[in-house]
Amino acid sequence: MLAQLMPARDKAPMPDALLLSMKVNGEDVEVAAPAHFTLLEVLRYKLDLIGSKQGCDKGDCGACTVQVDGKAKLSCLTLAAQANGREVRTVEGMTAAHLHPIQDCMDKEVAAQCGFCTPGILMAAEAYLSKVGRAVSREEVAEALAGNLCRCTGYVKIVDAIVGASEIMANTEQD
Amino acid sequence: MAGDFTKKLDGRDEGKAALGWQIGKAHRKIDAVDRMRGQVRYADDLKLPGMLHCKIVRSPHAHANIVKIHSDAVLAMEGVHGVVTGKDFPTPYGVIPWTPDENALAVDKALHVGDGVAAIAAVDEDSANAAVRALQIDYEILPAYFDPEKALEGEQINPYARKGNLSKKVELEFGSVEKELEAAHLVIEDRYFFEGATHGAIEPHCAVANVEPNGVLTVWSATQVSHYLHRELAKVLDMPANRIRVIQPALGGAFGGKSEPFDLEFCVAKLALQTGRPVKCLYTREEVFYAHRGRHPMRMDYRTGFDKDGKILSVDAKTLIDGGAYSSFGLVTTYYSGQLLCAPYDFGAYRFNSKRVTTNKPACGPKRGHGSVQPRFAIECQIDKGAAALGIDPIELRRRNFIGDETQTINEFRIGSNGFLECLEKVEASSDWKERYGNMAFGKGLGVAGSTYISGTNYCIYPNEMPQAAVQISLDRSGRARIFSGANDIGQGSSTMLAVIASDEIGLELADIRVVAADSDLCPVDLGAYSSRITLMVGNACAEAAKTLRKTVVKHVAASWEVPPRQVNLVRGLAVDVEDPERSMSLAEAFVIAETEEGMLSAVGNFGTRTNRHGEYRGGTIGASPAYSFTAHVAEVEVDGETGVVTVVKVWVAHDCGRALSPKIVEGQMEGSVYMGFGEAIMEEHTINSDKGGVHNAPSLLDYRMPTFLDTPDIQSLIVEEADAQGPYGAKEAGEGPLHPIIPAISNAIYDAVGIRLNRTPFSPPAVLAALAERKEREAAGQLSAHKGGLR
């Protein structure tokens, strides 16, 4: 029945599609997408990785933050073509056998209320903590995450969680 | 009194100590890990086979007749499947049943920039956007009104209005206001202005509709009030409610901004019915700003009379409310702007006169602390000015006016427990107020403010005598509970709250409890997430159902052990013999025994409207609540006299939530409230540009300035628990009350810092510099002495 309802004009125009190859959460991926698609659109619409969120589509809120080659990037301002040949990490790639320490601390502190900004915050925090590789202060966390808006928490418990996670991660590395 | 409450707890069940094993403990939320792993599906994450994408065409004019919509050309475009306009939705609706004054799409005229005029469904977003650009609409531009005073004199804006552009007017007087003002030792008179502010949930509004194989129209929406959406869909689509199913998926924040139906929900539903295919609509961030329904701008003229000891003899409030183009909750807002002011202080006499006016702007509605954040700003600044004039410490003056517990306000609302004095004590001690207030260096200061808020509105939006909340719980042999609740978890943690209550009563671990929420086909009716009602109302219903099941399970376990029921406790996944702790069984085994005897283990709980909570006069039910929360804040600020920048260094917030069922979640609500009010005090402005035809001044998350990690002050949460007999385990609200005092507390702290009174939000650098310059002039003219010897 659905086929009858989908006439020829349903073929959405994709005149300028690109074939992109990237490594997403450790897996090699090949995907065709219109040239104007952002990385966020490719992740959400083509790869069904819905963890990265669209809050503003203008680079203002940080909910779409992912990592490209280990650096935090706003996927709504990154053309998918710019990620071609690169390593992309999304929130879906963060949990292996166990929750990542940042996730676990965020959960323990109840630092996610609605959770919509959370994937972006996790990506930004992980990129930052990996870069500095040590326990960090509240002020440092606030500075590093100033590009991520959260409207629920007043940031208090998010900072608590990331500071706590940085201590756990620093201790684990020493061991 | 507290006594009733204790008795109720002691008698609640056999074999159980006064407080259980879960209430008041630290919990992880039941759904947070899934959210953190990117596994939870919010509305925009839903993708159905054959799904079309809908975009709404919006008026570029603030006020214009719609002459013609050239839909045919667009319908012929590649990829376009459907176009709907206002003619497809002739029935007006409104969340308040007395004021149905909007259509899903504008029928004859558009009332503000951004008003929805047509909606297009196409195969993908790009095709839909191309069609939006191509759709030609002929308008006849009408004069627009952006100023409420001018609008009152102007042509009627909203075609359904009954009194021109006067949307609502309320005048109520309790006692003899003028007489008491005449008798007062001191009268403080001032004008305040509260600028509009919007919710800014990070998730934009989104809805998906599909006619499911069973013929039921199913709408998934990012709504916080599924039930009201359900009702209005039935009305506007002219379909029986039982042929419509409303599901609220995971929700990415709301704060009041998703508490009524929006155009997108009607549009996707209609287009799904027309095309036979699933349809999704996701607002752009700009559309979210134009959809608005946020904090009303209010101009407030206050006169407050004090005796020489600081007792508040009389309060006279006159308020002009800028409502925007539609009524929304405006009838309630207009009442709330006066009705919610009569605690925590006792007023000798009180009068308010509030007028809400229709203007050609995006409609205002409820934002966290609906209608009462603005007047709270005015009265708490008035009180601070009174304290300064009388030479009384502002915390002491507030204590002297404390209304008490188990009492009635001057407007006849019934107050139960009241922890306001303890709130004041906590913020006073934590901020080192006695040492520091008035004694800090010029440029630094402390300010205090207090407030109250409702734990749910005592009456439903549409009058009826059915329960306002209901919960069904079932247990089965797998050792698991399922809680069915219509309550909308919008991130505040209401589903976790229900699981905590059920866990506490039934003994199951949180991991063994599934909460099925906000699906109208599966769950009992609940009115939704607004007016801070869920913990008290749905929590009570859940506790009732859980207690029933507990009794049933205990009875059968006791029988199998041949002991009296009071000897059986259900805790930590086990049924335990309290006299012989060696004897226990898993709850799965206990449920098998009970299910064998009883059949299916299921129970319901209801929350019905409480009696004797309100005043016996017209409007006396609006603002009445089963229980009231209380809050006090102290804010510490630094004011830079060169730049005018106000830095809020720290905020101490003490909040009486009755009983913190889950203290970490309560703290999160307190911190989020402080943050949100801080933004309104310092930087947020939801305004339109009247020189540019009514376009929004800042329709993006860059231009509409919201506090970031770096802007937000240190916040110290201090939970106060004055258990209320109305609440489950004594609990009252925590989600909205703690927002109120922050704005006046900051204004009052700025006065302590540099001696200026900021009566208008936001307290932006230009406002600070202008007030400092004015003070300097008055000091030079000898009208004022130097504040703390500081201003040069």
Side-chain angles (χ1 to χ4, degrees):
Chain A
M1 176 178 164
L2 202 55
Q4 292 169 356
L5 287 164
M6 294 175 82
R9 65 178 177 179
D10 244 20
K11 284 177 202 151
M14 208 203 282
D16 54 353
L18 298 176
L19 187 62
L20 304 168
S21 335
M22 51 185 92
K23 193 168 259 192
V24 180
N25 297 328
E27 282 185 39
D28 290 319
V29 169
E30 284 212 330
V31 57
H36 68 273
F37 260 37
T38 62
L39 178 56
L40 179 64
E41 286 172 302
V42 164
L43 291 171
R44 289 183 57 83
Y45 300 165
K46 296 288 174 187
L47 302 177
D48 287 338
L49 291 168
I50 55 160
S52 306
K53 299 303 181 197
Q54 177 181 317
C56 68
D57 215 22
K58 286 181 173 179
D60 297 333
C61 74
C64 67
T65 307
V66 299
Q67 293 165 14
V68 178
D69 290 344
K71 284 188 184 158
K73 288 275 178 205
L74 296 167
S75 63
C76 78
L77 290 189
T78 305
L79 279 174
Q82 293 174 296
N84 194 27
R86 296 179 184 273
E87 281 196 35
V88 177
R89 182 167 161 90
T90 71
V91 73
E92 286 93 340
M94 217 177 159
T95 309
H98 300 287
L99 281 182
H100 190 283
I102 307 175
Q103 290 172 314
D104 191 43
C105 289
M106 292 269 290
D107 188 35
K108 191 173 159 221
E109 297 296 338
V110 195
Q113 287 187 23
C114 81
F116 202 79
C117 72
T118 309
I121 283 181
L122 289 168
M123 283 288 103
E126 191 199 28
Y128 171 63
L129 293 184
S130 305
K131 190 180 79 182
V132 299
R134 58 173 169 79
V136 295
S137 68
R138 300 184 70 83
E139 291 71 25
E140 287 174 308
V141 171
E143 185 90 27
L145 290 173
N148 291 75
L149 291 173
C150 168
R151 201 61 172 161
C152 293
T153 62
Y155 305 112
V156 180
K157 300 214 179 306
I158 299 175
V159 177
D160 289 345
I162 295 172
V163 169
S166 77
E167 287 160 6
I168 292 169
M169 288 163 70
N171 288 337
T172 314
E173 273 161 34
Q174 276 163 15
D175 298 344
Chain B
M1 289 295 265
D4 298 341
F5 171 72
T6 313
K7 202 167 68 195
K8 186 175 139 198
L9 271 188
D10 285 344
R12 78 174 175 168
D13 254 336
E14 304 88 340
K16 208 150 181 233
L19 274 180
W21 67 293
Q22 285 283 18
I23 300 294
K25 301 295 191 298
H27 308 110
R28 295 183 179 222
K29 284 170 65 177
I30 58 170
D31 50 3
V33 164
D34 297 336
R35 289 175 194 232
M36 274 184 264
R37 295 178 61 201
Q39 303 296 316
V40 162
R41 283 182 289 277
Y42 296 79
D44 184 36
D45 301 329
L46 303 174
K47 188 158 101 174
L48 299 176
M51 187 170 80
L52 302 174
H53 293 263
C54 162
K55 292 284 172 189
I56 296 173
V57 187
R58 299 187 177 280
S59 170
H61 308 295
H63 199 188
N65 284 324
I66 299 162
V67 179
K68 186 168 168 60
I69 302 173
H70 301 265
S71 343
D72 290 349
V74 163
L75 264 174
M77 286 173 72
E78 183 167 296
V80 172
H81 282 261
V83 178
V84 288
T85 70
K87 305 271 186 255
D88 294 292
F89 304 99
T91 309
Y93 70 93
V95 69
I96 303 290
W98 322 119
T99 55
D101 69 350
E102 41 189 322
N103 290 86
L105 294 168
V107 177
D108 294 317
K109 61 176 187 166
L111 307 189
H112 64 86
V113 174
D115 218 1
V117 178
I120 297 167
V123 286
D124 56 22
E125 281 182 291
D126 288 341
S127 307
N129 280 326
V132 166
R133 285 191 294 274
L135 180 62
Q136 193 195 328
I137 301 173
D138 303 333
Y139 292 101
E140 178 194 6
I141 296 172
L142 300 168
Y145 303 99
F146 304 120
D147 178 284
E149 279 188 306
K150 286 181 188 151
L152 279 175
E153 320 267 292
E155 295 291 307
Q156 180 170 320
I157 294 168
N158 189 309
Y160 298 103
R162 279 171 293 194
K163 289 180 183 162
N165 292 331
L166 179 62
S167 157
K168 179 70 189 172
K169 182 178 176 182
V170 179
E171 276 182 290
L172 285 169
E173 180 163 359
F174 309 93
S176 306
V177 165
E178 290 299 337
K179 209 174 110 194
E180 296 289 339
L181 281 170
E182 276 166 32
H185 171 74
L186 170 74
V187 176
I188 300 287
E189 181 167 357
D190 228 329
R191 168 169 285 190
Y192 299 85
F193 182 77
F194 201 108
E195 189 53 274
T198 203
H199 320 85
I202 307 297
E203 177 200 30
H205 301 58
C206 181
V208 180
N210 189 37
V211 182
E212 295 286 282
N214 61 2
V216 172
L217 171 69
T218 302
V219 177
W220 293 261
S221 177
T223 179
Q224 61 188 108
V225 290
S226 305
H227 179 62
Y228 295 131
L229 172 60
H230 195 173
R231 283 170 56 86
E232 300 309 294
L233 281 170
K235 181 180 173 188
V236 170
L237 300 172
D238 194 21
M239 283 174 73
N242 63 15
R243 303 305 298 159
I244 301 173
R245 177 182 187 183
V246 175
I247 301 172
Q248 175 235 311
L251 194 87
F255 316 109
K258 295 168 180 168
S259 56
E260 55 195 297
F262 288 86
D263 53 15
L264 81 170
E265 291 144 334
F266 300 109
C267 290
V268 292
K270 192 78 179 182
L271 286 163
L273 288 165
Q274 275 189 6
T275 62
R277 290 175 58 168
V279 181
K280 177 196 277 188
C281 183
L282 168 69
Y283 276 178
T284 63
R285 180 50 61 177
E286 192 177 12
E287 285 180 290
V288 177
F289 276 97
Y290 280 102
H292 190 41
R293 313 287 159 143
R295 185 94 68 221
H296 288 73
M298 289 192 193
R299 189 189 75 195
M300 301 166 285
D301 290 301
Y302 270 62
R303 291 190 299 159
T304 311
F306 299 87
D307 74 8
K308 62 181 180 359
D309 299 320
K311 184 86 193 70
I312 301 168
L313 299 179
S314 187
V315 175
D316 185 30
K318 201 167 180 191
T319 302
L320 182 67
I321 307 171
D322 185 348
Y326 298 103
S327 283
S328 175
F329 284 82
L331 182 153
V332 175
T333 317
T334 313
Y335 272 104
Y336 278 12
S337 71
Q339 286 286 66
L340 298 187
L341 209 59
C342 299
Y345 316 114
D346 192 18
F347 296 163
Y350 177 51
R351 175 170 68 196
F352 72 92
N353 173 324
S354 293
K355 266 189 224 172
R356 184 182 190 271
V357 181
T358 307
T359 53
N360 290 110
K361 302 183 193 176
C364 298
K367 181 183 172 189
R368 201 172 196 171
H370 180 192
S372 71
V373 168
Q374 304 96 320
R376 182 56 60 183
F377 166 52
I379 191 70
E380 296 290 328
C381 290
Q382 287 284 98
I383 289 173
D384 210 67
K385 290 169 191 177
L390 294 165
I392 301 171
D393 178 274
I395 291 183
E396 170 58 21
L397 188 140
R398 284 174 170 81
R399 275 196 193 103
R400 289 184 194 177
N401 286 288
F402 178 56
I403 195 168
D405 64 353
E406 300 302 330
T407 185
Q408 186 167 292
T409 63
I410 192 166
N411 58 341
E412 300 175 33
F413 291 168
R414 186 78 207 156
I415 303 272
S417 79
N418 186 343
F420 183 60
L421 288 182
E422 195 184 335
C423 292
L424 282 176
E425 271 165 37
K426 286 207 155 159
V427 293
E428 185 180 48
S430 304
S431 65
D432 205 6
W433 174 272
K434 283 180 182 160
E435 289 297 312
R436 299 203 298 154
Y437 175 70
N439 298 323
M440 297 165 82
F442 180 82
K444 297 177 188 234
L446 293 178
V448 66
S451 69
T452 184
Y453 201 64
I454 54 178
S455 305
T457 167
N458 203 48
Y459 296 89
C460 179
I461 280 174
Y462 63 99
N464 70 78
E465 294 183 359
M466 291 177 281
Q468 300 203 31
V471 167
Q472 181 182 22
I473 307 180
S474 67
L475 312 175
D476 71 33
R477 59 196 83 174
S478 69
R480 160 189 70 153
R482 288 166 293 169
I483 303 175
F484 300 91
S485 156
N488 300 86
D489 193 322
I490 59 176
Q492 86 282 45
S494 63
S495 290
T496 300
M497 181 274 297
L498 297 176
V500 165
I501 288 177
S503 168
D504 193 74
E505 294 290 343
I506 298 166
L508 286 168
E509 299 285 354
L510 291 179
D512 295 323
I513 297 175
R514 315 272 189 279
V515 180
V516 180
D519 179 331
S520 67
D521 260 18
L522 302 180
C523 305
V525 170
D526 184 70
L527 303 182
Y530 68 99
S531 78
S532 280
R533 56 180 292 285
I534 290 185
T535 293
L536 189 138
M537 296 186 178
V538 190
N540 267 322
C542 183
E544 183 188 335
K547 283 170 199 287
T548 303
L549 285 171
R550 174 187 177 79
K551 269 196 181 124
T552 304
V553 174
V554 162
K555 182 175 88 180
H556 294 296
V557 171
S560 79
W561 285 341
E562 298 179 338
V563 299
R566 68 181 137 70
Q567 210 168 311
V568 177
N569 193 16
L570 309 183
V571 66
R572 294 184 194 283
L574 296 172
V576 184
D577 183 342
V578 293
E579 304 274 306
D580 176 13
E582 293 295 301
R583 178 153 70 178
S584 70
M585 66 173 84
S586 72
L587 283 178
E589 292 170 273
F591 295 170
V592 166
I593 292 171
E595 197 177 333
T596 305
E597 297 296 325
E598 295 274 333
M600 181 180 169
L601 300 170
S602 179
V604 298
N606 291 289
F607 180 87
T609 300
R610 297 299 198 237
T611 53
N612 302 323
R613 308 305 300 173
H614 63 271
E616 293 297 335
Y617 53 87
R618 185 181 161 82
T621 57
I622 305 180
S625 175
Y628 297 85
S629 73
F630 296 92
T631 314
H633 286 193
V634 166
E636 178 176 346
V637 304
E638 289 179 14
V639 182
D640 185 326
E642 297 287 318
T643 63
V645 170
V646 175
T647 304
V648 180
V649 178
K650 181 148 186 172
V651 179
W652 294 267
V653 45
H655 178 72
D656 168 22
C657 66
R659 173 82 61 198
L661 302 179
S662 191
K664 281 249 175 199
I665 293 178
V666 170
E667 284 174 10
Q669 289 301 308
M670 292 164 70
E671 291 154 3
S673 291
V674 168
Y675 153 86
M676 192 162 270
F678 158 77
E680 294 183 43
I682 297 293
M683 60 183 78
E684 295 185 25
E685 289 179 272
H686 189 278
T687 57
I688 63 95
N689 191 326
S690 52
D691 296 330
K692 291 184 181 163
V695 295
H696 200 294
N697 274 318
S700 77
L701 292 178
L702 181 65
D703 298 310
Y704 182 87
R705 295 180 56 223
M706 292 177 178
T708 68
F709 274 90
L710 281 174
D711 302 309
T712 306
D714 272 354
I715 302 167
Q716 188 176 344
S717 298
L718 305 156
I719 294 175
V720 170
E721 298 183 283
E722 201 61 54
D724 195 293
Q726 295 285 333
Y729 314 95
K732 307 189 283 191
E733 75 90 32
E736 302 187 73
L739 189 150
H740 291 70
I742 186 61
I743 297 137
I746 292 172
S747 180
N748 295 339
I750 292 170
Y751 178 76
D752 184 39
V754 293
I756 56 170
R757 291 290 183 185
L758 294 182
N759 293 341
R760 183 186 177 99
T761 67
F763 312 139
S764 61
V768 171
L769 290 177
L772 282 171
E774 192 200 329
R775 174 157 187 122
K776 206 167 166 182
E777 270 176 35
R778 292 179 66 193
E779 286 183 12
Q783 294 164 350
L784 283 174
S785 55
H787 181 77
K788 296 203 231 181
L791 196 62
R792 288 177 303 276

